[in-house]
Amino acid sequence: MSELEHTSKKSKKETREVKEVKEKKDKKETPSTRTPIKKENPNISCTLCIPSTCISKSNAKNLEQITHIAYQIAKAACNFNAPEILIMQVPQEEETPDSANSEEISYSSIETSSSGSGSKRKFGEIDLDTKTTKKTNSKKVITPSKYTNESLLLASLLQYFVTPPYLVKSTFKQDMLKNFEYAKKLPKISTLPFMQNSDTFKDYREGLTVAKKQQKREKTSSGKVKKAKNFNTTNLVNIGQSELFLLEGTEIPPRLRVTVNLKTKKIVSPIEAYGIIGAKSAFGYNVRVSSSFSSIFTECSFASGFDKSLWVNCGDYFSKESKSQPTNEVAAICPEANKKVATQLLLVLGKWKDIEQAFEDDKSSLEGVESAGLMFDGKLKIPHGIRVEDAAMVALSKLE
C-alpha cells in the first residue's frame, strides 16, 4: 500500500470519527421530547349538546347531585375525545319551595369570553347560596337574559373538571370556588391528555399566562411625572411551580390557557403535546353555552360547520311520539369511508319537549323552518328512559 493511499484512508477515518462525535454532541444539546400516545380519531369528531335541564330541580336536588351529573358528562367527553361540549339553554318554570327546610340554589351573573385561536373560555362569578329559602307556592316563568342559571353552573363545573388543580385559583374567581365543594373531592379524570401520556408532564405543562407588573410612575428631570407603561403582552406563564415560567422568543396576551414545552420553552399545540386537540385549539374539550336554539347549529367552533346532526332521546321517562320528531333512526354512527377530512358530528341530547320549547322561543330567527325536526338528519337509537349523563356515554360509544 502506498503512503498516499494510507494517508487517504486515515483522513477518511478521522473525518468519520469527528462526524460521529459531532452528532452525539448535537443530540445531547437538542432535548428530546416524548411522542404522544393518543391520536385523534381520523374519521369523526363529535360535539355533545347537553340541555341545561339535566341539572334542573326535577333531576338534581342539591349541589352534590349536580356535581356528579357534570362529572359523568365530563368523563364521557374525555373518554371518547369529544372536542366540544355545548350547553343548550331551556327556559324552565321554577317552583319556589314551600318549606323553610327546603334547599334553594341562587345564582348571580356569569360571563364568557374567547380571544382568538388557542384562547380558553373564561367563566365569571356564580354565587351559590344554599341557605336562602322562600315560603311561597307561586310559580313563575324565568325569562333568561343571555345565559340561564343552570347552564352557567353546568358550564363552570365542566370547565373545572379539565382544569389542572394548580390552575384552579388562577382560572376561577374567588366567589366561584364554593361551587366546587364536591367537585374537588372527586377523582381526577384519568383520560385527560396531561394524565395519560406516560410522564408527559416532564416535557409539557398546561399553563396560564400572567400579566407583567406595571411599572412605577417616575419623575423626569424636568419634574414631570412619567406615565407608567402598560404591558399588553407577556412571556410569563404559571405552570404550577414555585416560580413563573419564562418563555423564550415570544410574548402573548395575558390570561390565556396554553400548553408549554418545558425543554424548548415555547408554546405548542395540544396535538403536538398529547396527540389530540379540542375545538378552538383548546386541550381536552371546549365548553360553549348557546344563546339561542339557532346558535347551536350556526355558531360551530369548526370552520367547516357540522356535517351531520342527530337527536338522542334521553331524560324522558313518559315520552309520547310527536309528528315533528326526526323519523330517520340511526343505529350507529358510521363516517364515510376513505374520507380525508373528519366528519363533524353534532349530537343533541334531551327530551323532545325541551328541544321544541327552545325551537319555539327562537322561531323568529329560523324563517322557513316549520319544525325542530327539520334541523336534524336523524335520531340515534339508544335504550329508552335513561338519564342525560348516561346517554352521553352510550351515544359516544356508538361512534364507529
Side-chain angles (χ1 to χ4, degrees):
M1 182 184 293
S2 66
E3 187 178 343
L4 184 62
E5 289 176 346
H6 180 73
T7 305
S8 178
K9 284 185 178 181
K10 188 177 179 181
S11 177
K12 287 180 180 179
K13 185 179 179 181
E14 288 176 352
T15 304
R16 187 169 60 252
E17 288 175 353
V18 170
K19 189 177 180 181
E20 287 175 358
V21 170
K22 188 178 179 181
E23 285 177 354
K24 288 180 180 179
K25 188 178 179 181
D26 291 342
K27 197 173 182 180
K28 287 182 180 179
E29 290 179 353
T30 306
S32 60
T33 53
R34 296 177 183 273
T35 303
I37 294 175
K38 282 192 172 183
K39 296 294 179 184
E40 283 189 298
N41 186 335
N43 296 321
I44 195 163
S45 180
C46 182
T47 291
L48 272 180
C49 181
I50 307 294
S52 59
T53 50
C54 72
I55 61 166
S56 64
K57 289 186 177 181
S58 60
N59 291 308
K61 301 299 181 184
N62 50 44
L63 178 61
E64 184 175 9
Q65 292 182 9
I66 289 172
T67 301
H68 280 278
I69 291 171
Y71 183 64
Q72 284 183 260
I73 295 169
K75 282 200 298 183
C78 289
N79 288 345
F80 292 95
N81 298 330
E84 183 178 43
I85 298 179
L86 169 60
I87 299 171
M88 177 179 67
Q89 301 190 107
V90 183
Q92 292 292 297
E93 284 188 353
E94 184 178 86
E95 185 175 353
T96 56
D98 55 358
S99 170
N101 296 323
S102 298
E103 184 180 64
E104 179 180 321
I105 299 174
S106 62
Y107 311 83
S108 66
S109 63
I110 191 173
E111 59 182 358
T112 61
S113 65
S114 182
S115 52
S117 177
S119 64
K120 309 300 182 287
R121 194 167 293 276
K122 303 170 188 174
F123 298 95
E125 297 182 18
I126 299 179
D127 182 20
L128 188 60
D129 184 5
T130 57
K131 296 181 180 178
T132 307
T133 55
K134 297 181 181 180
K135 296 185 178 181
T136 61
N137 285 323
S138 60
K139 288 186 178 181
K140 60 179 181 179
V141 176
I142 299 177
T143 304
S145 50
K146 187 176 181 182
Y147 301 109
T148 60
N149 298 335
E150 290 85 2
S151 63
L152 302 178
L153 179 58
L154 182 57
S156 63
L157 285 168
L158 290 171
Q159 184 72 18
Y160 173 85
F161 289 127
V162 290
T163 301
Y166 56 84
L167 289 182
V168 169
K169 289 185 178 180
S170 302
T171 303
F172 300 94
K173 292 185 178 180
Q174 186 65 33
D175 292 343
M176 201 173 180
L177 297 180
K178 64 182 75 173
N179 299 338
F180 312 135
E181 177 186 354
Y182 300 102
K184 64 185 179 183
K185 298 176 183 178
L186 295 171
K188 293 298 171 186
I189 300 173
S190 61
T191 50
L192 284 172
F194 53 84
M195 293 186 68
Q196 189 72 14
N197 282 342
S198 62
D199 294 336
T200 190
F201 63 89
K202 294 179 181 178
D203 294 330
Y204 303 100
R205 295 274 286 188
E206 290 299 309
L208 185 72
T209 55
V210 179
K212 293 181 180 178
K213 287 186 178 180
Q214 187 176 358
Q215 291 182 341
K216 293 182 179 179
R217 301 179 70 180
E218 299 176 352
K219 286 187 178 181
T220 61
S221 56
S222 60
K224 292 183 179 180
V225 178
K226 189 178 179 181
K227 190 176 180 181
K229 184 179 179 181
N230 291 321
F231 295 100
N232 297 322
T233 59
T234 182
N235 60 349
L236 303 174
V237 186
N238 174 14
I239 58 172
Q241 296 180 347
S242 56
E243 295 182 358
L244 294 175
F245 187 79
L246 186 65
L247 296 172
E248 288 187 356
T250 184
E251 289 201 2
I252 59 174
R255 292 199 60 77
L256 290 182
R257 278 286 298 278
V258 293
T259 304
V260 177
N261 186 321
L262 300 179
K263 294 184 176 179
T264 62
K265 296 186 178 181
K266 293 182 178 180
I267 294 173
V268 297
S269 166
I271 198 168
E272 180 181 331
Y274 311 121
I276 56 174
I277 191 171
K280 294 188 175 180
S281 300
F283 94 104
Y285 56 73
N286 183 59
V287 182
R288 178 163 67 97
V289 182
S290 69
S291 55
S292 61
F293 182 74
S294 58
S295 69
I296 295 173
F297 305 88
T298 59
E299 296 178 5
C300 179
S301 297
F302 303 97
S304 58
F306 295 116
D307 299 310
K308 186 180 291 186
S309 58
L310 298 175
W311 169 54
V312 182
N313 187 16
C314 55
D316 193 359
Y317 318 112
F318 312 100
S319 63
K320 293 182 179 179
E321 291 293 329
S322 170
K323 292 181 179 180
S324 64
Q325 290 182 7
T327 55
N328 179 30
E329 193 168 69
V330 180
I333 305 161
C334 303
E336 293 179 26
N338 301 321
K339 191 175 181 182
K340 293 182 179 180
V341 182
T343 299
Q344 300 295 345
L345 177 68
L346 173 65
L347 287 181
V348 180
L349 283 70
K351 52 187 177 183
W352 191 249
K353 180 182 177 183
D354 287 346
I355 292 174
E356 280 191 314
Q357 185 176 346
F359 171 78
E360 290 296 331
D361 289 344
D362 193 37
K363 201 170 183 178
S364 58
S365 61
L366 293 165
E367 189 176 349
V369 183
E370 297 178 357
S371 67
L374 297 176
M375 303 293 289
F376 298 94
D377 295 297
K379 170 185 174 181
L380 183 63
K381 185 178 180 181
I382 66 168
H384 176 69
I386 62 177
R387 294 171 63 91
V388 172
E389 60 271 25
D390 298 320
M393 184 71 78
V394 174
L396 287 171
S397 67
K398 287 181 172 284
L399 299 179
E400 291 189 356

